[in-house]
Amino acid sequence: MATELLHAAEAEGLIARLRALGEPEWLLNRRKNALARVGELAYPHIEKYNAANLRIEEFSHLPEGFGDRAPEFAERELAEPLSAFLPSGAMAEFLAADGALVRAEIAPHLREQGVLLLSLREAASERPELVEPYLGTAVPDGSDRLTALSAALWQEGAFLYVPPGVEVAEPLEIVWVATDRNEGLARHTRTLVVAGRGSRFTLVERRLFADDVRVLATHVAEVFAADGAQVNYQVLHVGGRGARRFEARTGRVGRDASLDVREADLGDADGAILTTLLYDADGGRGTIRFAGIGSGKQRGAYTFSQIHRSRATESRTLVKAILKDEAHHVFNAITHIHKGAKKSTGKQTTRLLMLGGRARGDANPFLFIDDNDLYADHAASAGRVDDLQLFYLMSRGLSRAEAERLLVLGFLEEVLRDFTAGELPEQIARGVERKLGLVPAEAR
């Protein structure tokens, strides 16, 4: 039992409470098993980053009202700038605040097609055949101490199911908001996405955190793209100065399916994010495209893994990040082509741009090749703003600030242009300028 985080009586009380809320026995047993292993397992190995620095023992892991719905939440009262990053007019939207469900709504025409977007606990109870075979399998509950912690104590989860052959034109939205004023809490949340054979859709997941709140946020997301499915998964992070986080996001790509992950981290939290795509069936394709900005004294690590286990699979990883002030981030790009994955292709590129002499970014490319008759390459670079380009722009009449703005936006553009869902491109553009201090203070 993880007595250093939760006393035995508290753990038993938690299980009894969740049983009373209707959580099925199979899920309760998983929680108990994961909780029993938290103390035994090591922290995840992250190259050049010590996950123990998250100091999970400093936080309370059993907040009052665990498992309840959010009592009240008014988006219009959400502090700036977070309200500017909320979706508007989504046909399907899951919204949770401070680890509690606010609403899960879906348009009638999507419901009639069998699309589900609801609380993970509700789905586990009402549609166990869609949840139990998947939950905790892409990111196994016993992988490490932090994923076990999340598996045991997740407070709320989002579940999305798109049936076979269904194509959804409108973006589907999952929004997590953290505004805690009761500092020192841990918030553990999950996302589970099951894309049926031949389905096609775009999912946007927003992680919005208030600043200057001491909170530990862990999040595990699992995405299953069945044979022939096409999933476009776009993730946005905003805020969180003073927060710590750990996120593990893994997708399984079926035969001839595609899973494209687009992630923009404009947040301010410290911690680690692990993104993994697994190709276990022939012909699977996937991309990870990441744009991020580190500022202040942020400390973080990002690991992007593409794991090929079947023939003729294709992966592409493109990372673009800007580090300013005294920020220090580590970027690990891993491509592993296993024995038997012939005819596969794995490409990865990491480009880091430093603004200021005290910022630091480490780009670490890794290629593990266990077979032949395949193609793999990598490229990595870390540098500073090109003085010659800056001089050229200034010679055309631009101020230094305007010239720097054009250069940094142009640097990120290769990734940012792929965010195409609804109002997201405009919101991200504003977020980039805000994070870089490229807009007047009164407009931030």
Side-chain angles (χ1 to χ4, degrees):
M1 187 67 72
T3 52
E4 69 272 27
L5 298 176
L6 213 61
H7 296 298
E10 291 177 315
E12 291 172 4
L14 170 65
I15 296 299
R17 176 175 178 75
L18 292 172
R19 182 179 286 116
L21 289 172
E23 196 160 291
E25 288 300 318
W26 66 265
L27 183 52
L28 293 174
N29 288 333
R30 287 192 179 189
R31 286 183 182 272
K32 287 188 281 189
N33 292 336
L35 189 58
R37 299 200 62 195
V38 169
E40 306 170 353
L41 295 167
Y43 283 94
H45 172 73
I46 302 171
E47 196 71 24
K48 294 189 175 182
Y49 182 82
N50 185 2
N53 288 341
L54 291 171
R55 297 192 291 277
I56 61 176
E57 65 280 359
E58 294 181 1
F59 295 86
S60 171
H61 295 265
L62 196 59
E64 185 178 352
F66 191 107
D68 288 345
R69 291 183 70 110
E72 289 183 6
F73 180 76
E75 284 104 310
R76 63 181 179 278
E77 296 176 2
L78 194 62
E80 293 289 346
L82 298 188
S83 58
F85 293 93
L86 291 167
S88 61
M91 291 293 102
E93 181 181 311
F94 172 99
L95 172 63
D98 297 330
L101 177 66
V102 175
R103 63 172 177 270
E105 298 175 343
I106 190 165
H109 72 281
L110 295 178
R111 191 179 303 115
E112 290 169 3
Q113 295 180 79
V115 177
L116 301 176
L117 180 58
L118 65 165
S119 161
L120 180 57
R121 181 174 298 111
E122 183 181 346
S125 177
E126 296 180 3
R127 300 298 302 271
E129 77 282 6
L130 295 178
V131 176
E132 188 173 4
Y134 299 100
L135 187 66
T137 59
V139 183
D141 295 349
S143 302
D144 55 66
R145 179 173 295 191
L146 297 178
T147 53
L149 180 66
S150 173
L153 299 177
W154 59 270
Q155 187 174 346
E156 185 53 87
F159 175 70
L160 171 64
Y161 171 69
V162 179
V166 171
E167 297 185 13
V168 182
E170 308 90 347
L172 308 167
E173 295 273 359
I174 295 175
V175 186
W176 302 98
V177 179
T179 63
D180 277 301
R181 288 293 171 260
N182 186 8
E183 296 193 355
L185 292 178
R187 297 294 188 187
H188 308 292
T189 54
R190 293 188 78 104
T191 295
L192 176 62
V193 178
V194 179
R197 182 189 296 261
S199 61
R200 179 184 298 186
F201 61 91
T202 294
L203 169 64
V204 178
E205 185 160 31
R206 301 167 191 256
R207 297 188 55 74
L208 313 178
F209 289 80
D211 285 330
D212 301 321
V213 177
R214 198 172 70 87
V215 62
L216 169 68
T218 77
H219 187 70
V220 171
E222 299 173 293
V223 181
F224 296 84
D227 296 352
Q230 296 182 38
V231 180
N232 187 338
Y233 182 22
Q234 305 186 9
V235 185
L236 171 64
H237 305 256
V238 176
R241 185 174 57 240
R244 301 173 200 168
R245 66 181 173 187
F246 171 77
E247 298 188 20
R249 186 174 296 109
T250 295
R252 283 191 179 277
V253 185
R255 183 182 298 273
D256 298 323
S258 67
L259 175 52
D260 297 308
V261 179
R262 312 281 187 252
E263 185 164 12
D265 188 355
L266 310 180
D268 299 281
D270 293 333
I273 297 179
L274 315 180
T275 303
T276 304
L277 295 185
L278 304 173
Y279 306 92
D280 294 322
D282 294 353
R285 303 177 304 279
T287 61
I288 299 173
R289 297 170 79 88
F290 172 91
I293 300 170
S295 63
K297 295 185 178 181
Q298 267 187 281
R299 296 292 182 269
Y302 302 82
T303 298
F304 309 96
S305 301
Q306 303 269 14
I307 311 299
H308 300 252
R309 296 175 179 142
S310 290
R311 293 172 60 90
T313 50
E314 297 180 13
S315 73
R316 176 81 167 95
T317 302
L318 175 61
V319 177
K320 291 283 192 81
I322 295 175
L323 286 306
K324 59 178 290 194
D325 305 326
E326 299 176 42
H328 179 193
H329 285 175
V330 175
F331 299 87
N332 302 310
I334 300 170
T335 301
H336 191 167
I337 302 180
H338 285 255
K339 188 74 174 176
K342 293 181 181 296
K343 306 293 185 185
S344 292
T345 300
K347 301 179 180 179
Q348 55 169 264
T349 304
T350 301
R351 305 288 187 203
L352 309 181
L353 180 65
M354 261 66 77
L355 303 180
R358 304 183 71 174
R360 178 178 168 185
D362 298 338
N364 305 312
F366 299 92
L367 287 180
F368 302 103
I369 309 298
D370 298 335
D371 212 327
N372 53 28
D373 192 15
L374 51 85
Y375 180 87
D377 68 23
H378 68 79
S381 67
R384 304 193 180 278
V385 173
D386 190 310
D387 287 336
L388 190 60
Q389 292 178 337
L390 199 60
F391 174 78
Y392 173 78
L393 290 173
M394 294 174 67
S395 72
R396 310 300 291 180
L398 297 179
S399 66
R400 184 181 183 88
E402 290 171 328
E404 287 183 339
R405 176 180 181 278
L406 281 181
L407 287 176
V408 298
L409 292 179
F411 175 77
L412 295 176
E413 195 272 341
E414 186 178 4
V415 176
L416 297 184
R417 68 188 178 200
D418 290 330
F419 289 88
T420 56
E423 69 278 79
L424 197 57
E426 292 76 20
Q427 292 176 331
I428 289 177
R430 288 198 300 271
V432 168
E433 295 192 343
R434 175 184 172 275
K435 187 77 191 283
L436 290 173
L438 298 176
V439 291
E442 62 273 18
R444 296 176 200 169

